[in-house]
Structure formats: structure tokens, C-alpha cells
Amino acid sequence: MTRFYGAVGYSHTVESEPGVAENVITERMYYGDVLGNTGRLNESDKVNPDLSMQGSISIVADPYAYEHFMKIKYITWLGVRWKPSTIDATKPPRIILRLGEVYNGNAP
């Protein structure tokens, strides 16, 4: 089994000025295991097809991860930020993130 160490990005809404809210990304580092490693090109009407992963990463979660798992926006693996397609927080002390497409949103 391949080991994992990398960043997980969480999105939080903060008030940047009175009456104005914005999303801020914070990263936390986690250890875990890579449970699968299969890539796939999604054919579409685009010039360049989208890459998605079919694997999962199981992280050893801390209390922060359990409290905020629904705010996870990406997990960094192999130098790429991936959007999780599903998040399974029912197997303490681990959270299992099934990788989806490449994340192209805000980052810290």
C-alpha cells in the first residue's frame, strides 16, 4: 500500500468587511494511505478532455477534520489538487476521500 502525506483544503466563509462575505481556503497536512490509483480522461465537447481519478485516499483524521469534513474542497496528491467526489467519515479515526476531477478553484 502506498503512503500519503499531503494537504487538504477547507473552505470557510469569512466576513471581509461589514456585509461582505468571501470564501477563504485553509490547508491542513495529513498522513494516510492511497487505496487506489486509476486515472481516466473524460471525453467531452472540450478541446482537451478532463482528467479524473478513480482512487481513494484514507487520511488519519484529527478532530478538526471530523468537525469540518463537509468543507473539504480538495486534497493534494502527486502535485495536483483533486476535488473529492465522495467523503466517508464513518470509519474513525479515518476519513476516506474518493478522488474526482482536478480542482481549479481558489487556493491559499
Side-chain angles (χ1 to χ4, degrees):
M1 186 176 305
T2 304
R3 298 287 182 198
F4 168 81
Y5 178 73
V8 174
Y10 296 85
S11 175
H12 299 282
T13 303
V14 296
E15 189 173 16
S16 59
E17 57 185 74
V20 178
E22 65 180 65
N23 285 329
V24 174
I25 302 292
T26 58
E27 287 186 344
R28 294 178 67 99
M29 302 300 287
Y30 292 95
Y31 287 95
D33 298 308
V34 178
L35 303 178
N37 182 8
T38 305
R40 174 171 69 113
L41 290 176
N42 298 327
E43 298 298 327
S44 64
D45 295 336
K46 298 179 182 177
V47 173
N48 296 319
D50 294 325
L51 176 64
S52 65
M53 293 301 293
Q54 300 298 310
S56 297
I57 294 178
S58 172
I59 62 169
V60 179
D62 58 8
Y64 183 89
Y66 275 105
E67 186 176 335
H68 298 95
F69 75 91
M70 293 304 294
K71 295 181 179 183
I72 294 175
K73 292 296 180 189
Y74 63 83
I75 183 166
T76 303
W77 182 55
L78 299 175
V80 178
R81 292 183 179 106
W82 300 95
K83 291 190 281 188
S85 60
T86 60
I87 301 170
D88 182 357
T90 63
K91 297 172 178 64
R94 297 198 171 252
I95 292 178
I96 299 172
L97 303 158
R98 179 171 295 280
L99 303 179
E101 296 180 353
V102 174
Y103 173 81
N104 291 312
N106 294 338

